[in-house]
């Protein structure tokens, strides 16, 4: 769905509600969104045939019609756009109602080539370099804080430090900022995506999938 005109994402809209066998009654007239980024369009979902009532998966086109023909990969790699990691989708019950949650499919673990433990790292103010360099990797980290202004990571930093993507948590939203990457949107209006965050929380588990041309944050 394209919710840009209403200030909503341009990703996968859905409604929760009740079904009596004939009619569906939505909990709200406004949809919820399965992804808060700019590049998870035309999403499709399907059931696990071995457990159709318990497991459902989804994936989408990692592109946007606003810049579909100007992505950075078009000339250099001979292709335009790519598909997201397959996600496992579950229905969660929260204090304010139901919502869909998604995480990379557990089957992704079978493609892990190696694991590097970076240990426990304390940060107080300025940046702390991580002792890892890679092109395609998954970063799992538990972060916690006593005073939060902005906690995050810089990913795919160039040798001179001028190119990088930034992801983290700031007050009441999580973010992915790609303004320093040569982003495809020349209007500059889609440089940083936000997802709602509960400012009362003091910890988070970040799962970040990085590839040559994509970053997916959970």
């Amino acid at each position: 769905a394209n919710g840009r005109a209403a200030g909503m994402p341009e990703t996968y809209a859905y409604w929760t509600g009740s079904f009596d066998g004939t009619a569906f009654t939505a909990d709200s007239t406004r949809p919820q969104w399965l992804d808060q980024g700019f590049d998870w369009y035309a999403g499709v979902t399907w059931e696990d045939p071995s457990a159709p009532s318990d497991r459902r998966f989804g994936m989408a086109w990692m592109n946007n019609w606003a810049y579909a023909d100007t992505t950075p990969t078009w000339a250099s790699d001979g292709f335009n756009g790519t598909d997201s990691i397959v996600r496992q989708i579950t229905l969660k019950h929260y204090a304010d109602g139901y919502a869909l949650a998604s995480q990379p499919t557990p089957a992704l673990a079978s493609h892990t080539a190696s694991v590097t433990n970076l240990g426990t790292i304390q940060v107080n103010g300025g940046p702390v370099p991580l002792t890892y360099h890679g092109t395609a990797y998954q970063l799992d980290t538990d972060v916690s804080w006593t005073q939060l202004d902005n906690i995050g990571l810089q990913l795919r930093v160039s040798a001179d430090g001028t190119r990088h993507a930034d992801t983290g948590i700031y007050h009441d939203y999580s973010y992915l900022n790609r303004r320093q990457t040569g982003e495809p949107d020349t209007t500059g209006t889609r440089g940083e995506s936000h997802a709602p965050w509960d400012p009362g929380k003091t910890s988070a588990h970040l799962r970040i999938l990085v590839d040559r041309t994509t970053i997916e944050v959970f």
Side-chain angles (χ1 to χ4, degrees), residues 88-202:
Q88 184 166 328
I89 300 171
T90 53
L91 181 66
K92 298 287 188 179
H93 187 209
Y94 300 99
D96 58 350
Y98 288 93
L100 294 179
S102 64
Q103 287 286 331
T105 171
L108 190 63
S110 63
H111 296 279
T112 300
S114 62
V115 177
T116 301
N117 189 338
L118 301 180
T120 301
I121 299 169
Q122 288 190 330
V123 180
N124 185 8
V128 176
L130 300 180
T131 57
Y132 179 81
H133 298 271
T135 300
Y137 55 88
Q138 174 176 298
L139 174 63
D140 274 286
T141 179
D142 290 292
V143 295
S144 60
W145 53 86
T146 55
Q147 181 178 340
L148 174 66
D149 185 34
N150 184 4
I151 184 170
L153 299 114
Q154 287 192 339
L155 307 167
R156 296 299 307 274
V157 182
S158 62
D160 63 2
T162 60
R163 290 172 59 87
H164 50 81
D166 305 334
T167 185
I169 299 168
Y170 180 80
H171 294 295
D172 60 353
Y173 61 84
S174 61
Y175 64 87
L176 177 59
N177 186 325
R178 62 182 183 184
R179 295 189 180 104
Q180 299 300 117
T181 64
E183 56 157 327
D185 181 23
T186 57
T187 68
T189 59
R190 298 177 180 85
E192 181 174 288
S193 57
H194 294 169
W197 172 258
D198 180 357
K201 292 184 178 181
T202 59

Side-chain angles (χ1 to χ4, degrees), residues 43-54:
V44 293
T45 73
W46 66 95
E47 63 189 24
D48 183 342
S50 65
S53 299
D54 299 322

